[in-house]
Amino acid sequence: MLAATNLRKTYRRNADQVKVLQGLSLDVHAGEFLSVVGASGSGKSTLLHLLGTLDVPDEGTITLNGRRIDNVSSRERDELRNTVFGYIFQFYHLLPEFNTLDNVLMPAYISNSLVKWFATRREWRKRAEAMLERVGLSHRLTHRPRELSGGEMQRAAVARALLCRPQILMADEPTGNLDAEIGADIVRLLRELNRDDGITIVMVTHNLDIAATTDRVLRMTHGKLNTDAPAAFTRPKLAAV
Amino acid sequence: MYKFLLCFKYLRTRYLAFVCIVSVMLGVATLIVVNSVMSGFSYKLQNRLHGILSDVMIETDRADGLPGPPDAIVARVLASPVGKYVEATSPTVEVMALLQFQVRSRLTGERFSITKHVRMIGVEPARHAKVGKFLEYLQRQKDGGEASFALTPDALGRFDFNRDFGGWEPRDANAATKLLDFPTVRIPQVPPVDAPPGMFLPALAVPDRASSPPPLVPAAGPPRVPGVFIGHAIAHHTWKDPVTGVSETINLLREGDEVFLATVGATGVKPVASTFAVADYFRCEMSEYDNTFAYVALGELQSMRGMGNRVNTVQIKLIPSAAGDHELVHKTIIPELQKLFGREEAINVVSWQQHQGALLEAIDIERGILNLLLFMIVGVSGFSILAIFTMIVSEKYRDIGVLKSLGASSRGVMSIFVSYGLMLGVVGCGLGTLLGLGITVYINEIEGFLTLVTKQQIFDRGVYYFDKIPTNIETTTVVLVNVGALSTSVLFSVLPAFRAARLHPVNALRFE
Ligand SMILES: Nc1ncnc2c1ncn2[C@@H]1O[C@H](COP(=O)(O)OP(=O)(O)OP(=O)(O)O)[C@@H](O)[C@H]1O
Ligand SMILES: [Mg+2]
């Protein structure tokens, strides 16, 4: 579904060069829950950003359902991020001025013009409330992010990422800032979404236990990926989570 | 949609933004107030300058005046191609003159003369009233009928009463005894202890004719009394007590009081002089004119100067449609009239604007420079917007990245900040316009209050030509000021907005 071939990305600061990705190839299958592990600084976040059109590779191609998305116009990329990809981050990245509901509605605010928004706002609101219900936050609609716990913020972030019904969810260390129990809750939530809604998930994590619960684990070394563990190995663990 | 949302959010949650609003507001308010006052000043000044001058003047510096009788000149004008634009004409004689009158010290009872230089203008009052605002400026006659140099019965009585004492010197001697017959006008021989020094009384006070007997020696037949309209400021002395700071206006000349006017004749440097009785005060509220004008009957001045029926100025009032057409007046009417009379006879044809050109131009230049300087206030507010926006962009660095990860475009992010600037500008301009208009409307009350608080006269009526601060709110100026301030706000927010738009989301998202 989402395929990357021979990706290269190098950061340059004056004379220094940081070769982050060096000919990385990856195939994400529709409906799978994929995790990427690797040492800090190995380029996991960079990979997610490239896959999700937040950044462009120096070399290589990325295709979505057979269509190239790495070289399209910035307008199309903006639209892809709005409708096809959903992002969740380690630090939640909710907007501090807005309450939970508005944060969740933000993608809709972005995609709709003023007129269109007023025509469809009821629908969106219903959908946002349903999303928040789904992630178990329906009692926190009017709270500001700073009034929420880390787990709640991450749930709100998941709801926000899902508002526009994306095909692929990019999760960059979604449990990195949470304790084991809450982190497991979040992963359980992601697993539910993956199973019930068929959302493809690419998750970066440091936690090998959590990675082990996913369908496929890829390890990142030297700017390339190699399969870490067979899916069969990870399957049984799922029941335990 | 999110642009408006974020814009409003940042407006409501960033108190720093109010600094921008306040600075835009102050800039706009200052510009509006200053322009309104300057424009009021210039408008009122023009109005008054025009009030004492007709639209166009045919004038000469020749001592013996324009060649030929004024009727012939007017006839020539009317017969010319520009005759159809003429509404009214008034022949006048204008000369420099010396004015003298007697007063008596309230303190010592001593009599002395006051001498002033004046502009002595001979007019046919009823006719002259038709070319300008002459009649409006006559304090007694402005509300009724035709202007005339005739004295009121009261003024005549006062004149007769003064005359009965027999001229300047003997009158002095008689005054004490005569005054006893008129208890209401008795002047205390012993000065009141609280009377400040240096204050004057009129030479003699007006008798109360209703309650007093008629003059003891009635004049044989009505005396020939040429009247004069004297500048209001000549007849009124404002004296400010240096200790208490209280100022008092003392009437030096009443209607019927005698004044002495001296000038030169039409041929040679021959001094001529005559006596007039005050018939009315002339007050156009331009202290310069109120201090120097003395209108007398045209025939009086002509015969005094021995210039026959000649005049040195013919004032022409144009029909309103022509008078308002600056182009027509200066490009057609004036050259046409100039052609009619030629240059060789030292005749000049000028419009009232040309007559007062230097003064009007000075105001315009002053206003231009002031505007330039004051727009710097708006410039300062522009820089505060720049600084504060740069701060907000830095502070919102991460949020901008988040918005982009959710699909916001660079243009959208840019327009958040540009419309944020626009919004600050709109709010600032709105408040500034309200404030500016408020100050302008109540400027005299504000000035009065400040004077009360600081005990310093801020707007010195003596220095300026007006007794109130004049204002004139011009819609175009208000609009221009607002447009200027708005575009400054937008312009200065573009740079930080551009920086925000260029921001790479990946760098913003990497950290907490
Ligand atoms: N803008 C940049 N300029 C220079 N170097 C950069 C830039 N962004 C990332 N890097 C470098 O690229 C490398 C990969 O970064 P990246 O964030 O993808 O790593 P990561 O695997 O996500 O690490 P972590 O597990 O700590 O999140 C790092 O060494 C980082 O220093
Ligand atoms: Mg990372």
Side-chain angles (χ1 to χ4, degrees):
Chain A
M1 168 190 207
L2 183 68
T5 38
N6 202 20
L7 286 186
R8 283 176 197 280
K9 182 78 183 174
T10 305
Y11 288 110
R12 286 179 195 82
R13 168 129 308 157
N14 304 324
D16 295 344
Q17 288 197 351
V18 187
K19 290 189 177 166
V20 183
L21 301 184
Q22 306 175 39
L24 177 147
S25 296
L26 169 71
D27 240 322
V28 181
H29 310 300
E32 79 171 332
F33 189 170
L34 178 73
S35 62
V36 178
V37 295
S40 187
S42 58
K44 307 181 296 291
S45 298
T46 306
L47 173 63
L48 276 199
H49 294 152
L50 291 180
L51 291 177
T53 71
L54 263 178
D55 206 350
V56 282
D58 295 337
E59 265 177 58
T61 56
I62 300 165
T63 56
L64 176 71
N65 300 324
R67 191 171 72 96
R68 266 188 82 167
I69 57 168
D70 59 296
N71 59 355
V72 296
S73 72
S74 58
R75 236 189 98 192
E76 276 173 87
R77 295 152 60 83
D78 292 337
E79 199 171 323
L80 282 173
R81 282 201 301 278
N82 190 250
T83 54
V84 176
F85 299 107
Y87 271 104
I88 52 180
F89 305 95
Q90 180 179 358
F91 302 109
Y92 329 123
H93 289 333
L94 298 174
L95 303 184
E97 283 92 359
F98 296 89
N99 64 27
T100 312
L101 187 63
D102 281 334
N103 261 298
V104 171
L105 280 170
M106 199 52 68
Y109 287 140
I110 288 171
S111 61
N112 287 287
S113 69
L114 197 59
V115 178
K116 213 169 132 210
W117 168 254
F118 277 103
T120 56
R121 68 182 192 281
R122 246 180 233 128
E123 225 170 283
W124 282 113
R125 220 188 122 95
K126 233 186 252 155
R127 209 201 276 191
E129 279 169 3
M131 285 300 169
L132 281 162
E133 172 97 56
R134 183 89 195 264
V135 300
L137 267 188
S138 44
H139 56 297
R140 288 274 194 266
L141 298 189
T142 56
H143 290 239
R144 295 283 164 88
R146 78 178 108 80
E147 296 158 351
L148 299 178
S149 73
E152 286 168 334
M153 281 195 270
Q154 196 60 291
R155 283 164 186 275
V158 171
R160 176 177 70 182
L162 295 177
L163 184 78
C164 289
R165 305 214 170 103
Q167 299 172 26
I168 304 171
L169 192 63
M170 304 287 182
D172 194 348
E173 299 186 33
T175 60
N177 234 23
L178 301 172
D179 65 42
E181 202 178 323
I182 304 294
D185 276 352
I186 295 291
V187 176
R188 201 176 300 126
L189 175 65
L190 294 181
R191 171 55 84 183
E192 266 173 45
L193 293 167
N194 170 253
R195 189 183 52 217
D196 301 347
D197 299 20
I199 295 171
T200 310
I201 300 176
V202 181
M203 179 173 77
V204 165
T205 180
H206 274 136
N207 189 327
L208 293 177
D209 287 342
I210 284 177
T213 66
T214 59
D215 299 343
R216 188 153 65 112
V217 181
L218 298 175
R219 174 171 294 277
M220 204 156 167
T221 40
H222 308 298
K224 290 186 183 170
L225 285 172
N226 38 13
T227 307
D228 192 61
F233 171 71
T234 60
R235 278 293 180 197
K237 281 231 170 159
L238 178 63
V241 175
Chain B
M1 168 65 202
Y2 69 108
K3 300 159 203 162
F4 302 101
L5 200 70
L6 277 129
C7 218
F8 273 114
K9 260 296 188 296
Y10 291 167
L11 194 66
R12 278 189 35 211
T13 55
R14 290 285 166 287
Y15 294 106
L16 223 47
F18 287 94
V19 175
C20 305
I21 291 181
V22 167
S23 62
V24 171
M25 178 180 88
L26 290 181
V28 168
T30 320
L31 275 169
I32 288 178
V33 171
V34 167
N35 272 296
S36 299
V37 170
M38 299 271 312
S39 153
F41 193 82
S42 127
Y43 179 79
K44 204 146 187 196
L45 196 64
Q46 287 198 23
N47 219 346
R48 285 180 184 172
L49 290 174
H50 197 184
I52 57 155
L53 296 170
S54 65
D55 298 316
V56 174
M57 280 140 280
I58 303 168
E59 52 182 25
T60 182
D61 288 335
R62 284 177 59 159
D64 59 350
L66 295 164
D71 287 345
I73 295 172
V74 170
R76 270 174 78 189
V77 170
L78 289 176
S80 76
V82 298
K84 58 176 182 284
Y85 299 123
V86 175
E87 183 178 301
T89 56
S90 172
T92 65
V93 176
E94 298 192 24
V95 287
M96 298 311 290
L98 285 175
L99 171 103
Q100 196 171 60
F101 57 93
Q102 281 213 328
V103 292
R104 184 159 77 163
S105 163
R106 189 192 283 183
L107 192 65
T108 60
E110 182 200 2
R111 252 175 212 290
F112 53 88
S113 297
I114 287 179
T115 308
K116 293 205 165 197
H117 74 91
V118 293
R119 193 165 180 82
M120 191 176 179
I121 305 166
V123 294
E124 294 169 18
R127 189 168 174 188
H128 194 63
K130 293 205 173 75
V131 300
K133 292 189 181 154
F134 180 62
L135 184 58
E136 274 174 44
Y137 297 149
L138 297 179
Q139 292 299 287
R140 176 172 57 78
Q141 299 177 71
K142 61 185 165 197
D143 297 323
E146 284 201 333
S148 147
F149 283 107
L151 271 66
T152 60
D154 268 350
L156 257 178
R158 184 177 169 84
F159 182 80
D160 290 343
F161 174 71
N162 287 346
R163 270 286 160 96
D164 289 342
F165 296 127
W168 297 100
E169 293 307 323
R171 193 197 303 171
D172 213 16
N174 284 342
T177 52
K178 282 279 186 183
L179 276 171
L180 293 177
D181 298 332
F182 300 95
T184 50
V185 297
R186 179 177 298 158
I187 295 167
Q189 296 299 303
V190 185
V193 273
D194 61 342
M199 288 177 41
F200 312 122
L201 279 179
L204 289 163
V206 67
D208 183 349
R209 291 181 70 85
S211 62
S212 59
L216 297 180
V217 189
R224 186 180 152 278
V225 192
V228 57
F229 300 154
I230 201 105
H232 188 266
I234 301 174
H236 294 80
H237 178 77
T238 302
W239 188 82
K240 190 175 175 190
D241 191 308
V243 183
T244 63
V246 179
S247 54
E248 187 186 348
T249 301
I250 303 145
N251 187 348
L252 301 178
L253 281 170
R254 304 238 170 118
E255 277 183 44
D257 278 341
E258 226 175 29
V259 298
F260 184 76
L261 279 159
T263 181
V264 288
T267 48
V269 191
K270 188 184 74 195
V272 292
S274 190
T275 304
F276 295 85
V278 175
D280 208 338
Y281 300 127
F282 174 85
R283 186 181 196 183
C284 65
E285 292 189 329
M286 297 258 308
S287 60
E288 163 122 15
Y289 299 144
D290 290 348
N291 236 324
T292 54
F293 275 21
Y295 284 94
V296 298
L298 180 63
E300 273 319 314
L301 187 52
Q302 280 170 333
S303 63
M304 191 173 149
R305 299 188 67 224
M307 58 197 299
N309 65 353
R310 294 172 83 165
V311 296
N312 60 14
T313 307
V314 172
Q315 300 205 12
I316 298 172
K317 182 180 169 64
L318 303 173
I319 55 173
S321 61
D325 190 341
H326 196 268
E327 186 87 348
L328 178 72
V329 171
H330 291 88
K331 293 271 154 64
T332 310
I333 296 177
I334 289 177
E336 203 58 52
L337 288 174
Q338 190 70 63
K339 218 160 54 191
L340 204 60
F341 294 100
R343 282 219 160 260
E344 71 279 6
E345 308 206 72
I347 295 173
N348 277 318
V349 182
V350 290
S351 67
W352 68 274
Q353 290 103 327
Q354 289 168 334
H355 211 275
Q356 300 290 350
L359 189 54
L360 296 178
E361 248 167 58
I363 292 174
D364 275 354
I365 292 171
E366 224 171 279
R367 189 172 168 187
I369 292 174
L370 216 56
N371 263 320
L372 196 74
L373 293 178
L374 287 174
F375 204 77
M376 297 214 174
I377 298 182
V378 177
V380 168
S381 68
F383 277 103
S384 72
I385 286 177
L386 184 72
I388 287 167
F389 272 37
T390 308
M391 271 176 63
I392 292 178
V393 168
S394 304
E395 188 191 338
K396 292 283 136 206
Y397 187 67
R398 201 199 53 163
D399 290 8
I400 294 164
V402 174
L403 287 171
K404 284 193 166 174
S405 78
L406 295 176
S409 61
S410 294
R411 266 202 18 225
V413 169
M414 180 152 176
S415 65
I416 291 175
F417 287 92
V418 173
S419 47
Y420 189 31
L422 185 72
M423 200 126 84
L424 293 188
V426 167
V427 176
C429 283
L431 293 177
T433 305
L434 283 184
L435 184 69
L437 294 181
I439 292 178
T440 306
V441 170
Y442 292 106
I443 193 153
N444 284 294
E445 285 80 355
I446 293 169
E447 191 261 350
F449 175 73
L450 288 180
T451 305
L452 210 70
V453 171
T454 61
K455 301 199 165 49
Q456 283 284 318
Q457 180 102 38
I458 292 161
F459 181 78
D460 192 339
R461 270 87 181 145
V463 174
Y464 297 98
Y465 294 122
F466 311 109
D467 55 1
K468 273 202 314 194
I469 303 174
T471 56
N472 176 36
I473 296 167
E474 294 171 320
T475 323
T476 41
T477 312
V478 174
V479 169
L480 272 180
V481 165
N482 273 295
V483 168
L486 269 185
S487 22
T488 310
S489 320
V490 172
L491 213 71
F492 279 92
S493 57
V494 162
L495 204 71
F498 193 64
R499 206 174 72 103
R502 288 279 310 277
L503 200 140
H504 210 303
V506 167
N507 296 333
L509 291 171
R510 184 162 276 131
F511 311 101
E512 189 176 22

